[in-house]
Amino acid sequence: GENVEQHPSTLSVQEGDSAVIKCTYSDSASNYFPWYKQELGKRPQLIIDIRSNVGEKKDQRIAVTLNKTAKHFSLHITETQPEDSAVYFCAASPYGGATNKLIFGTGTLLAVQP
Amino acid sequence: EPEVTQTPSHQVTQMGQEVILRCVPISNHLYFYWYRQILGQKVEFLVSFYNNEISEKSEIFDDQFSVERPDGSNFTLKIRSTKLEDSAMYFCASSGLAGYNEQFFGPGTRLTVL
């Protein structure tokens, strides 16, 4: 069945360092890959996404890369700040059609140490 | 900026009771979803809804669950006879036009079944 694996489950970095979170997906029909940030007790917030016709996308300190052949995608956060501390979820979804469900990874707890 | 809203924020119920969780999606969105998140775990897809019918449901979404869009603004999730294992955070999400997968999540309803 559809599955998204995410690593690492926890990540601790020093403020200013970079953080990388990696995901793999099983459904080759997946064409849309969002990343959500979830602070404790709050809703998942979309921070960046990428579609399969693009290999990389960047938004200020955040970037996402996609390797469709290997079915891998990664989130890169540069110059981390304490406010980046949260749980990050990757997800995958088939593109278009009537169903755009998201299959989530298991999450990465990022702790940025000041 | 428009947001998805959900009520109540917290619902406590006795096992076997019926609960209705309410959501108001973003007004011009066409696709609606329910997800759940058991404490400390990943977000799991329950059901997607489009054009006044279910477009897809997961294995979790059994006969005890139902969804409805009773009017032009609300989207509800009903659990007919709650079980202890239904205790979770339930998120509503919505997205816009077909092919645009960005899903925006509501703040969630924490359901506690005693």
Side-chain angles (χ1 to χ4, degrees):
Chain A
E2 301 149 330
N3 188 45
V4 176
E5 294 188 359
Q6 183 172 347
H7 300 281
S9 57
T10 60
L11 180 59
S12 181
V13 299
Q14 291 295 123
E15 182 177 358
D17 288 351
S18 295
V20 180
I21 302 170
K22 298 182 179 182
C23 290
T24 60
Y25 59 98
S26 61
D27 185 357
S28 57
S30 297
N31 268 352
Y32 173 69
F33 307 92
W35 286 88
Y36 285 83
K37 175 183 180 183
Q38 187 178 33
E39 296 175 355
L40 188 62
K42 296 194 174 180
R43 76 184 81 191
Q45 296 266 21
L46 179 68
I47 56 170
I48 196 168
D49 56 15
I50 191 167
R51 292 185 170 82
S52 61
N53 57 345
V54 177
E56 184 174 357
K57 183 177 177 181
K58 191 173 181 180
D59 182 5
Q60 300 183 339
R61 297 187 296 109
I62 295 173
V64 58
T65 59
L66 171 65
N67 182 332
K68 275 214 78 175
T69 303
K71 294 192 278 188
H72 290 170
F73 59 113
S74 300
L75 177 72
H76 305 251
I77 306 174
T78 58
E79 300 172 24
T80 52
Q81 301 167 1
E83 51 265 39
D84 294 330
S85 297
V87 178
Y88 290 80
F89 289 97
C90 62
S93 175
Y95 180 84
T99 296
N100 296 318
K101 67 180 180 185
L102 295 177
I103 305 300
F104 282 84
T106 48
T108 296
L109 175 61
L110 174 64
V112 180
Q113 309 297 332
Chain B
E1 185 174 333
E3 287 190 330
V4 177
T5 60
Q6 289 184 244
T7 54
S9 57
H10 192 186
Q11 174 93 46
V12 181
T13 190
Q14 295 291 324
M15 190 169 55
Q17 294 297 303
E18 174 182 288
V19 295
I20 298 176
L21 310 184
R22 292 183 167 80
C23 168
V24 179
I26 294 172
S27 64
N28 62 348
H29 281 187
L30 301 175
Y31 296 84
F32 314 113
Y33 311 85
W34 283 101
Y35 293 85
R36 81 171 185 189
Q37 186 178 32
I38 295 171
L39 187 63
Q41 298 186 22
K42 68 178 178 180
V43 178
E44 299 176 289
F45 168 76
L46 292 178
V47 65
S48 58
F49 192 87
Y50 169 72
N51 199 25
N52 286 318
E53 60 183 25
I54 290 173
S55 47
E56 188 171 356
K57 57 185 179 180
S58 72
E59 298 171 346
I60 304 166
F61 195 89
D62 61 22
D63 291 343
Q64 290 202 102
F65 291 87
S66 62
V67 290
E68 193 177 36
R69 187 155 164 82
D71 54 43
S73 60
N74 290 283
F75 180 50
T76 62
L77 174 69
K78 181 192 291 186
I79 309 175
R80 270 181 263 284
S81 178
T82 50
K83 299 177 280 194
L84 295 176
E85 53 266 37
D86 293 328
S87 294
M89 181 73 92
Y90 288 81
F91 292 105
C92 173
S94 68
S95 64
L97 299 174
Y100 292 86
N101 302 69
E102 295 91 340
Q103 292 186 24
F104 298 92
F105 281 71
T109 293
R110 179 163 298 285
L111 176 64
T112 302
V113 182
L114 303 176

